[in-house]
Coordinates of all heavy atoms in Angstrom, one line a residue:
F1 N 0.8 -1.2 0.0 CA 0.0 0.0 0.0 C 0.9 1.3 0.0 O 0.6 2.2 -0.7 CB -0.9 0.0 1.2 CG -1.7 1.3 1.4 CD1 -2.7 1.6 0.5 CD2 -1.3 2.2 2.4 CE1 -3.4 2.8 0.7 CE2 -2.0 3.3 2.5 CZ -3.1 3.7 1.7
Q2 N 2.0 1.2 0.8 CA 2.8 2.4 0.8 C 3.4 2.7 -0.5 O 3.5 3.9 -0.9 CB 4.0 2.2 1.8 CG 3.5 2.1 3.3 CD 4.6 1.8 4.2 OE1 5.8 1.8 3.9 NE2 4.2 1.5 5.5
Y3 N 3.8 1.7 -1.3 CA 4.3 2.0 -2.6 C 3.2 2.5 -3.6 O 3.4 3.4 -4.3 CB 4.9 0.7 -3.2 CG 6.4 0.5 -2.9 CD1 6.7 -0.3 -1.8 CD2 7.4 1.0 -3.6 CE1 8.1 -0.6 -1.5 CE2 8.7 0.8 -3.3 CZ 9.0 0.0 -2.2 OH 10.3 -0.2 -1.9
L4 N 2.1 1.8 -3.6 CA 1.0 2.2 -4.4 C 0.5 3.7 -4.1 O 0.2 4.4 -5.0 CB -0.2 1.3 -4.3 CG 0.0 -0.1 -4.9 CD1 -1.2 -1.0 -4.7 CD2 0.3 0.0 -6.4
K5 N 0.5 4.0 -2.9 CA 0.0 5.4 -2.5 C 1.0 6.4 -3.0 O 0.6 7.4 -3.6 CB 0.0 5.4 -0.9 CG -0.5 6.8 -0.4 CD -0.6 6.8 1.1 CE -1.1 8.1 1.6 NZ -1.1 8.1 3.0
R6 N 2.3 6.1 -2.9 CA 3.3 7.1 -3.4 C 3.3 7.1 -4.9 O 3.6 8.2 -5.5 CB 4.7 6.7 -2.8 CG 4.8 7.2 -1.3 CD 5.9 6.5 -0.6 NE 6.0 7.0 0.8 CZ 5.2 6.6 1.8 NH1 4.2 5.8 1.5 NH2 5.3 7.1 3.0
F7 N 3.1 6.0 -5.5 CA 3.0 5.9 -7.0 C 1.9 6.8 -7.5 O 2.1 7.6 -8.4 CB 2.8 4.5 -7.4 CG 2.6 4.3 -8.9 CD1 3.7 4.4 -9.8 CD2 1.4 4.1 -9.4 CE1 3.5 4.3 -11.2 CE2 1.2 4.0 -10.8 CZ 2.3 4.1 -11.7
E8 N 0.7 6.7 -6.8 CA -0.4 7.5 -7.2 C -0.1 9.0 -7.0 O -0.6 9.8 -7.8 CB -1.6 7.2 -6.4 CG -2.3 5.9 -6.8 CD -3.0 6.1 -8.2 OE1 -3.7 7.0 -8.4 OE2 -2.8 5.2 -9.1
Q9 N 0.7 9.4 -6.0 CA 1.0 10.8 -5.8 C 2.2 11.3 -6.6 O 2.5 12.4 -6.5 CB 1.3 10.9 -4.3 CG 0.1 10.7 -3.4 CD 0.5 10.6 -1.9 OE1 1.6 10.5 -1.5 NE2 -0.5 10.7 -1.1
G10 N 2.8 10.4 -7.4 CA 3.8 10.8 -8.3 C 5.2 10.9 -7.7 O 6.1 11.5 -8.3
Y11 N 5.4 10.3 -6.6 CA 6.7 10.3 -5.9 C 7.7 9.4 -6.7 O 7.3 8.4 -7.3 CB 6.6 9.8 -4.5 CG 6.0 10.8 -3.5 CD1 4.7 10.7 -3.2 CD2 6.8 11.8 -2.9 CE1 4.1 11.6 -2.3 CE2 6.2 12.7 -2.1 CZ 4.9 12.6 -1.8 OH 4.3 13.5 -0.9
N12 N 9.0 9.7 -6.5 CA 10.1 8.8 -7.0 C 10.2 7.6 -6.1 O 10.6 7.7 -5.0 CB 11.4 9.6 -7.1 CG 12.5 8.8 -7.6 OD1 12.3 7.6 -8.0 ND2 13.7 9.4 -7.6
L13 N 9.9 6.4 -6.6 CA 9.9 5.2 -5.8 C 11.3 4.6 -5.7 O 11.5 3.7 -4.9 CB 8.9 4.2 -6.4 CG 7.5 4.6 -6.4 CD1 6.6 3.5 -7.0 CD2 7.0 4.9 -5.0
D14 N 12.2 5.1 -6.5 CA 13.6 4.6 -6.4 C 14.3 4.8 -5.1 O 15.1 4.0 -4.7 CB 14.5 5.2 -7.5 CG 14.1 4.8 -8.9 OD1 13.4 3.8 -9.1 OD2 14.4 5.5 -9.9
T15 N 13.9 5.8 -4.4 CA 14.5 6.1 -3.1 C 13.6 5.7 -1.9 O 14.0 5.9 -0.8 CB 14.9 7.6 -3.0 OG1 13.7 8.4 -3.1 CG2 15.9 8.0 -4.0
F16 N 12.4 5.2 -2.2 CA 11.5 4.9 -1.1 C 11.8 3.4 -0.6 O 12.1 2.6 -1.4 CB 10.1 5.0 -1.5 CG 9.1 4.5 -0.5 CD1 8.9 5.3 0.7 CD2 8.4 3.3 -0.6 CE1 8.0 4.8 1.7 CE2 7.5 2.9 0.4 CZ 7.3 3.6 1.5
C17 N 11.7 3.2 0.7 CA 11.8 1.9 1.3 C 10.7 1.7 2.3 O 10.3 2.6 3.0 CB 13.2 1.8 2.1 SG 13.6 0.2 2.5
Y18 N 10.1 0.5 2.2 CA 9.0 0.1 3.0 C 9.3 0.3 4.5 O 10.3 0.0 5.0 CB 8.6 -1.3 2.7 CG 7.6 -1.9 3.7 CD1 6.3 -1.5 3.7 CD2 8.0 -2.9 4.6 CE1 5.4 -2.1 4.6 CE2 7.1 -3.4 5.6 CZ 5.8 -3.0 5.5 OH 5.0 -3.6 6.4
E19 N 8.3 0.9 5.2 CA 8.5 1.2 6.6 C 7.6 0.2 7.4 O 6.4 0.3 7.5 CB 8.1 2.6 7.0 CG 8.9 3.6 6.2 CD 8.3 5.0 6.3 OE1 7.7 5.3 7.3 OE2 8.5 5.8 5.4
A20 N 8.2 -0.9 7.9 CA 7.5 -1.9 8.6 C 6.8 -1.4 9.9 O 7.3 -0.5 10.5 CB 8.5 -3.0 9.1
R21 N 5.6 -1.9 10.1 CA 4.8 -1.5 11.3 C 4.3 -0.1 11.3 O 3.7 0.4 12.2 CB 5.5 -1.8 12.6 CG 6.0 -3.2 12.8 CD 6.5 -3.5 14.2 NE 7.4 -4.5 14.3 CZ 7.2 -5.8 14.1 NH1 6.0 -6.2 13.7 NH2 8.1 -6.7 14.3
S22 N 4.5 0.6 10.2 CA 3.9 2.0 10.1 C 2.5 1.9 9.5 O 2.3 1.1 8.6 CB 4.8 2.9 9.3 OG 4.8 2.5 7.9
V23 N 1.6 2.7 9.9 CA 0.3 2.6 9.5 C 0.0 3.9 8.7 O 0.2 5.0 9.2 CB -0.7 2.5 10.6 CG1 -2.2 2.6 10.1 CG2 -0.5 1.3 11.4
E24 N -0.5 3.8 7.5 CA -0.8 4.9 6.6 C -2.2 4.7 6.0 O -2.5 3.6 5.6 CB 0.2 5.0 5.5 CG 1.6 5.4 5.9 CD 2.6 5.5 4.8 OE1 2.1 5.7 3.6 OE2 3.8 5.5 5.0
G25 N -2.9 5.7 5.9 CA -4.2 5.7 5.3 C -5.2 4.8 6.0 O -5.0 4.3 7.1
S26 N -6.4 4.7 5.4 CA -7.5 3.9 6.0 C -7.6 2.6 5.3 O -7.1 2.4 4.2 CB -8.8 4.7 5.9 OG -9.2 4.8 4.6
P27 N -8.3 1.6 5.9 CA -8.6 0.4 5.2 C -9.3 0.6 3.9 O -9.1 -0.1 2.9 CB -9.4 -0.4 6.2 CG -9.0 0.1 7.5 CD -8.7 1.6 7.3
A28 N -10.2 1.6 3.9 CA -11.0 1.8 2.6 C -10.0 2.4 1.5 O -10.2 2.0 0.4 CB -12.1 2.9 2.9
E29 N -9.1 3.2 1.9 CA -8.2 3.8 0.9 C -7.3 2.7 0.4 O -7.0 2.6 -0.8 CB -7.3 4.9 1.6 CG -6.4 5.5 0.6 CD -5.5 6.6 1.3 OE1 -5.4 6.7 2.5 OE2 -4.8 7.3 0.6
C30 N -6.8 1.8 1.3 CA -6.0 0.6 0.9 C -6.8 -0.3 -0.1 O -6.2 -0.6 -1.2 CB -5.6 -0.1 2.1 SG -4.6 -1.6 1.8
L31 N -8.0 -0.6 0.2 CA -8.8 -1.5 -0.7 C -9.0 -0.8 -2.0 O -8.9 -1.4 -3.1 CB -10.1 -1.8 0.0 CG -11.0 -2.7 -0.8 CD1 -10.4 -4.0 -1.1 CD2 -12.3 -2.9 0.0
Q32 N -9.3 0.5 -2.0 CA -9.5 1.3 -3.2 C -8.3 1.2 -4.1 O -8.4 1.0 -5.4 CB -9.8 2.7 -2.9 CG -10.2 3.6 -4.1 CD -10.5 5.0 -3.7 OE1 -10.3 5.4 -2.6 NE2 -11.1 5.7 -4.7
L33 N -7.1 1.4 -3.6 CA -5.8 1.3 -4.4 C -5.6 -0.1 -4.9 O -5.2 -0.2 -6.1 CB -4.6 1.8 -3.6 CG -4.4 3.3 -3.5 CD1 -3.2 3.6 -2.6 CD2 -4.3 3.9 -4.8
F34 N -5.9 -1.1 -4.1 CA -5.7 -2.5 -4.6 C -6.6 -2.7 -5.7 O -6.3 -3.4 -6.7 CB -5.9 -3.5 -3.5 CG -4.8 -3.5 -2.4 CD1 -5.0 -4.0 -1.2 CD2 -3.5 -3.0 -2.7 CE1 -4.0 -4.1 -0.2 CE2 -2.5 -3.0 -1.8 CZ -2.8 -3.6 -0.5
L35 N -7.9 -2.3 -5.6 CA -8.9 -2.5 -6.7 C -8.5 -1.8 -7.9 O -8.7 -2.3 -9.1 CB -10.3 -2.1 -6.2 CG -10.9 -3.0 -5.2 CD1 -12.2 -2.3 -4.6 CD2 -11.3 -4.3 -5.7
L36 N -7.9 -0.6 -7.8 CA -7.5 0.2 -8.9 C -6.4 -0.4 -9.7 O -6.3 -0.3 -10.9 CB -7.2 1.6 -8.5 CG -6.8 2.6 -9.5 CD1 -7.9 2.9 -10.4 CD2 -6.3 3.9 -8.8
H37 N -5.4 -1.0 -9.0 CA -4.2 -1.5 -9.6 C -4.1 -3.0 -9.8 O -3.1 -3.4 -10.5 CB -3.0 -1.0 -8.7 CG -2.7 0.4 -8.8 ND1 -2.1 1.0 -9.8 CD2 -3.1 1.4 -7.9 CE1 -2.1 2.3 -9.6 NE2 -2.7 2.6 -8.5
C38 N -5.1 -3.8 -9.4 CA -4.9 -5.2 -9.5 C -5.1 -5.7 -11.0 O -4.7 -6.8 -11.3 CB -5.9 -6.0 -8.6 SG -7.6 -6.0 -9.1
G39 N -5.7 -4.9 -11.8 CA -5.8 -5.3 -13.2 C -7.0 -6.1 -13.6 O -7.2 -6.5 -14.7
I40 N -7.9 -6.4 -12.6 CA -9.1 -7.1 -12.9 C -10.3 -6.2 -12.6 O -10.3 -5.6 -11.5 CB -9.1 -8.4 -12.0 CG1 -7.9 -9.3 -12.3 CG2 -10.4 -9.2 -12.2 CD1 -7.8 -10.5 -11.4
T41 N -11.3 -6.3 -13.4 CA -12.5 -5.4 -13.3 C -13.2 -5.6 -12.0 O -13.5 -4.7 -11.2 CB -13.4 -5.5 -14.5 OG1 -12.7 -5.2 -15.6 CG2 -14.6 -4.5 -14.4
D42 N -13.6 -6.8 -11.7 CA -14.3 -7.2 -10.5 C -13.7 -8.4 -9.8 O -14.2 -9.5 -9.9 CB -15.8 -7.5 -10.9 CG -16.7 -7.7 -9.7 OD1 -16.4 -7.3 -8.6 OD2 -17.8 -8.3 -9.9
P43 N -12.5 -8.1 -9.1 CA -11.8 -9.2 -8.5 C -12.4 -9.8 -7.3 O -13.2 -9.2 -6.6 CB -10.5 -8.6 -8.1 CG -10.8 -7.2 -7.8 CD -11.9 -6.8 -8.8
S44 N -12.2 -11.1 -7.1 CA -12.6 -11.8 -5.9 C -11.6 -11.5 -4.8 O -10.5 -11.0 -5.1 CB -12.7 -13.3 -6.2 OG -11.4 -13.8 -6.4
W45 N -12.0 -11.9 -3.6 CA -11.0 -11.7 -2.5 C -9.7 -12.5 -2.7 O -8.7 -12.0 -2.4 CB -11.7 -12.1 -1.2 CG -12.6 -11.0 -0.7 CD1 -14.0 -11.2 -0.6 CD2 -12.3 -9.7 -0.2 NE1 -14.5 -10.0 -0.1 CE2 -13.6 -9.1 0.1 CE3 -11.2 -9.0 -0.1 CZ2 -13.6 -7.8 0.6 CZ3 -11.2 -7.7 0.4 CH2 -12.5 -7.1 0.7
S46 N -9.8 -13.7 -3.3 CA -8.6 -14.5 -3.5 C -7.8 -13.8 -4.6 O -6.5 -13.9 -4.5 CB -9.0 -15.9 -3.8 OG -9.7 -16.0 -5.0
E47 N -8.4 -13.2 -5.6 CA -7.6 -12.5 -6.6 C -6.9 -11.3 -6.0 O -5.7 -11.0 -6.4 CB -8.5 -12.1 -7.8 CG -8.9 -13.3 -8.6 CD -10.0 -13.0 -9.6 OE1 -10.9 -12.1 -9.3 OE2 -10.0 -13.7 -10.6
L48 N -7.6 -10.6 -5.2 CA -6.9 -9.4 -4.5 C -5.8 -9.9 -3.6 O -4.7 -9.3 -3.5 CB -7.9 -8.6 -3.6 CG -8.8 -7.7 -4.4 CD1 -9.8 -7.0 -3.4 CD2 -8.0 -6.6 -5.1
R49 N -6.0 -11.0 -2.9 CA -5.0 -11.6 -2.0 C -3.7 -12.0 -2.9 O -2.6 -11.7 -2.5 CB -5.5 -12.8 -1.2 CG -4.5 -13.3 -0.2 CD -4.4 -14.8 -0.3 NE -3.3 -15.3 0.6 CZ -2.1 -15.6 0.1 NH1 -1.8 -15.5 -1.2 NH2 -1.2 -16.1 0.9
N50 N -4.0 -12.6 -4.0 CA -2.9 -13.0 -4.9 C -2.1 -11.8 -5.4 O -0.9 -11.8 -5.5 CB -3.4 -13.9 -6.0 CG -3.8 -15.3 -5.5 OD1 -3.4 -15.7 -4.5 ND2 -4.6 -15.9 -6.3
F51 N -2.8 -10.8 -5.8 CA -2.2 -9.6 -6.3 C -1.3 -8.9 -5.2 O -0.2 -8.6 -5.5 CB -3.3 -8.6 -6.7 CG -2.8 -7.2 -7.0 CD1 -2.0 -6.9 -8.0 CD2 -3.1 -6.2 -6.1 CE1 -1.5 -5.6 -8.2 CE2 -2.6 -4.9 -6.3 CZ -1.8 -4.6 -7.3
T52 N -1.9 -8.8 -4.0 CA -1.1 -8.2 -2.9 C 0.1 -9.0 -2.5 O 1.2 -8.5 -2.3 CB -1.9 -7.9 -1.7 OG1 -2.6 -9.1 -1.2 CG2 -3.0 -6.8 -2.0
W53 N -0.1 -10.4 -2.5 CA 1.0 -11.3 -2.2 C 2.2 -11.1 -3.2 O 3.3 -11.0 -2.9 CB 0.5 -12.7 -2.1 CG 1.7 -13.7 -1.9 CD1 2.3 -14.0 -0.8 CD2 2.3 -14.4 -2.9 NE1 3.3 -14.9 -1.0 CE2 3.3 -15.2 -2.3 CE3 2.1 -14.5 -4.3 CZ2 4.1 -16.1 -3.0 CZ3 3.0 -15.4 -5.0 CH2 3.9 -16.1 -4.4
F54 N 1.8 -11.2 -4.5 CA 2.8 -11.1 -5.6 C 3.5 -9.7 -5.5 O 4.7 -9.7 -5.6 CB 2.1 -11.3 -7.0 CG 3.0 -11.1 -8.1 CD1 3.9 -12.1 -8.4 CD2 3.0 -10.0 -8.9 CE1 4.8 -12.0 -9.5 CE2 3.9 -9.8 -9.9 CZ 4.8 -10.8 -10.2
L55 N 2.7 -8.7 -5.4 CA 3.3 -7.3 -5.3 C 4.3 -7.2 -4.1 O 5.4 -6.7 -4.3 CB 2.2 -6.3 -5.2 CG 2.7 -4.8 -5.2 CD1 3.4 -4.5 -6.5 CD2 1.5 -3.9 -5.0
N56 N 3.9 -7.8 -3.0 CA 4.7 -7.7 -1.8 C 6.0 -8.5 -2.0 O 7.1 -8.0 -1.7 CB 4.0 -8.3 -0.6 CG 4.7 -8.2 0.7 OD1 5.2 -7.1 1.0 ND2 4.9 -9.3 1.4
V57 N 6.0 -9.7 -2.6 CA 7.2 -10.5 -2.9 C 8.1 -9.7 -3.8 O 9.3 -9.6 -3.6 CB 6.8 -11.9 -3.4 CG1 8.0 -12.6 -4.0 CG2 6.1 -12.7 -2.4
Q58 N 7.5 -9.2 -4.9 CA 8.4 -8.4 -5.9 C 9.0 -7.2 -5.3 O 10.2 -7.0 -5.5 CB 7.5 -8.0 -7.1 CG 7.0 -9.2 -7.9 CD 8.1 -10.1 -8.4 OE1 9.0 -9.6 -9.1 NE2 8.0 -11.3 -8.2
L59 N 8.3 -6.5 -4.5 CA 8.9 -5.2 -3.9 C 9.9 -5.6 -2.8 O 10.9 -4.9 -2.7 CB 7.8 -4.4 -3.3 CG 6.8 -3.7 -4.4 CD1 5.6 -3.1 -3.7 CD2 7.6 -2.8 -5.2
R60 N 9.7 -6.7 -2.1 CA 10.7 -7.1 -1.1 C 12.0 -7.5 -1.7 O 13.0 -7.1 -1.3 CB 10.1 -8.3 -0.2 CG 11.0 -8.6 0.9 CD 10.4 -9.7 1.8 NE 9.0 -9.9 1.8 CZ 8.3 -11.0 1.7 NH1 9.0 -12.2 1.7 NH2 7.0 -11.1 1.7
D61 N 11.8 -8.3 -2.8 CA 13.0 -8.7 -3.6 C 13.7 -7.5 -4.2 O 15.0 -7.4 -4.2 CB 12.7 -9.6 -4.7 CG 12.3 -11.0 -4.2 OD1 12.5 -11.3 -3.0 OD2 11.7 -11.8 -5.0
C62 N 13.0 -6.5 -4.7 CA 13.6 -5.3 -5.2 C 14.3 -4.5 -4.2 O 15.5 -4.1 -4.4 CB 12.5 -4.4 -5.8 SG 13.1 -2.9 -6.6
E63 N 13.8 -4.4 -3.0 CA 14.5 -3.7 -1.9 C 15.7 -4.4 -1.5 O 16.7 -3.8 -1.1 CB 13.5 -3.5 -0.7 CG 12.5 -2.4 -0.9 CD 11.7 -2.1 0.3 OE1 11.8 -2.9 1.3 OE2 10.9 -1.2 0.3
A64 N 15.7 -5.7 -1.6 CA 16.9 -6.5 -1.2 C 18.0 -6.6 -2.2 O 19.1 -6.9 -1.9 CB 16.5 -7.9 -0.8
S65 N 17.7 -6.2 -3.4 CA 18.6 -6.3 -4.5 C 19.6 -5.1 -4.5 O 19.2 -4.0 -4.5 CB 17.9 -6.4 -5.9 OG 18.8 -6.3 -6.9
V66 N 20.9 -5.4 -4.7 CA 21.9 -4.4 -4.7 C 21.7 -3.6 -6.0 O 22.0 -2.4 -6.1 CB 23.3 -5.0 -4.6 CG1 23.7 -5.8 -5.8 CG2 24.3 -3.9 -4.4
F67 N 21.2 -4.2 -7.1 CA 21.0 -3.5 -8.3 C 19.9 -2.5 -8.3 O 19.7 -1.7 -9.2 CB 20.8 -4.5 -9.5 CG 21.9 -5.4 -9.6 CD1 21.9 -6.7 -9.2 CD2 23.1 -5.0 -10.2 CE1 23.0 -7.6 -9.4 CE2 24.2 -5.8 -10.4 CZ 24.2 -7.1 -10.0
C68 N 19.0 -2.5 -7.3 CA 18.0 -1.6 -7.1 C 18.3 -0.5 -6.0 O 17.5 0.3 -5.7 CB 16.7 -2.3 -6.8 SG 16.1 -3.3 -8.2
N69 N 19.5 -0.6 -5.5 CA 19.9 0.3 -4.4 C 20.4 1.6 -5.1 O 21.5 1.5 -5.8 CB 21.0 -0.4 -3.6 CG 21.4 0.5 -2.4 OD1 21.3 1.7 -2.5 ND2 22.0 -0.1 -1.4
P70 N 19.8 2.7 -4.9 CA 20.2 3.9 -5.6 C 21.6 4.4 -5.1 O 22.3 5.0 -5.9 CB 19.2 5.0 -5.2 CG 18.5 4.4 -4.0 CD 18.6 2.9 -4.1
D71 N 22.1 4.0 -3.9 CA 23.4 4.4 -3.5 C 24.5 3.6 -4.3 O 25.6 4.1 -4.6 CB 23.6 4.1 -2.0 CG 22.7 5.0 -1.2 OD1 22.4 6.2 -1.6 OD2 22.3 4.6 -0.1
F72 N 24.1 2.4 -4.7 CA 25.1 1.5 -5.4 C 25.0 1.8 -6.9 O 26.1 2.0 -7.5 CB 24.7 0.0 -5.2 CG 25.6 -0.9 -6.0 CD1 26.9 -1.2 -5.6 CD2 25.0 -1.5 -7.1 CE1 27.7 -2.0 -6.4 CE2 25.8 -2.4 -7.9 CZ 27.1 -2.7 -7.5
V73 N 23.9 1.9 -7.4 CA 23.7 2.1 -8.9 C 23.9 3.5 -9.3 O 24.3 3.8 -10.4 CB 22.2 1.6 -9.3 CG1 22.0 1.8 -10.8 CG2 22.0 0.2 -8.9
Q74 N 23.6 4.4 -8.4 CA 23.6 5.9 -8.7 C 22.7 6.2 -9.8 O 21.5 5.8 -9.8 CB 25.0 6.4 -8.9 CG 25.8 6.2 -7.6 CD 27.3 6.5 -7.7 OE1 27.7 7.0 -8.8 NE2 28.0 6.3 -6.7
D75 N 23.1 6.8 -10.9 CA 22.1 7.2 -12.0 C 22.3 6.3 -13.2 O 21.8 6.6 -14.3 CB 22.2 8.6 -12.3 CG 23.6 9.0 -12.9 OD1 24.5 8.2 -12.9 OD2 23.7 10.2 -13.4
T76 N 23.1 5.2 -13.1 CA 23.3 4.4 -14.3 C 22.1 3.6 -14.8 O 22.1 3.3 -16.0 CB 24.5 3.4 -14.0 OG1 24.1 2.6 -12.9 CG2 25.8 4.1 -13.7
L77 N 21.1 3.3 -14.0 CA 20.0 2.6 -14.4 C 18.7 3.4 -14.1 O 17.7 2.8 -13.7 CB 19.9 1.2 -13.6 CG 21.0 0.3 -13.9 CD1 20.9 -1.0 -13.0 CD2 21.0 -0.2 -15.3
Q78 N 18.7 4.7 -14.4 CA 17.6 5.5 -14.1 C 16.3 5.0 -14.7 O 16.3 4.8 -15.9 CB 17.9 7.0 -14.6 CG 16.9 8.0 -14.2 CD 16.8 8.2 -12.7 OE1 17.7 8.0 -12.0 NE2 15.7 8.7 -12.3
G79 N 15.3 4.9 -13.9 CA 14.0 4.4 -14.4 C 13.9 2.9 -14.6 O 12.8 2.4 -14.9
F80 N 14.9 2.2 -14.3 CA 14.9 0.7 -14.5 C 14.0 0.2 -13.4 O 13.2 -0.6 -13.5 CB 16.3 0.1 -14.4 CG 16.3 -1.4 -14.5 CD1 16.0 -2.0 -15.7 CD2 16.6 -2.2 -13.4 CE1 16.0 -3.4 -15.8 CE2 16.6 -3.5 -13.5 CZ 16.4 -4.1 -14.7

């Protein structure tokens, strides 16, 4: 949700890192963003769960990758 919220607001996500245990927004806002970005017109709860699980795994791997670390890469992979 933190990534999707910042994406919607136009922030640069290259320098953002997930903040564990921090609470942002309301449950309704979270659900609205998930529905907007999941890519299915009328998703079931299991489809939303799969979308959030997949997104979470991908973003966790991205944060752990040295190739996505802006301090390491600097500006050589801008927008990657």
Side-chain angles (χ1 to χ4, degrees):
F1 172 74
Q2 292 177 11
Y3 273 96
L4 289 177
K5 182 177 178 182
R6 283 161 179 78
F7 175 76
E8 281 292 309
Q9 295 170 343
Y11 285 96
N12 179 4
L13 298 177
D14 291 341
T15 57
F16 176 71
C17 191
Y18 168 71
E19 300 168 29
R21 303 190 206 293
S22 69
V23 178
E24 295 182 14
S26 67
E29 184 183 11
C30 181
L31 181 58
Q32 183 180 14
L33 279 178
F34 289 160
L35 289 170
L36 181 65
H37 290 281
C38 77
I40 299 172
T41 304
D42 188 18
S44 67
W45 284 111
S46 63
E47 289 168 328
L48 279 177
R49 186 225 175 262
N50 289 339
F51 167 72
T52 57
W53 174 81
F54 177 77
L55 184 62
N56 187 50
V57 168
Q58 295 300 308
L59 292 171
R60 188 179 333 140
D61 288 349
C62 180
E63 285 185 355
S65 172
V66 69
F67 297 106
C68 295
N69 182 336
D71 296 329
F72 175 75
V73 180
Q74 296 176 5
D75 65 351
T76 58
L77 296 174
Q78 186 67 23
F80 179 70

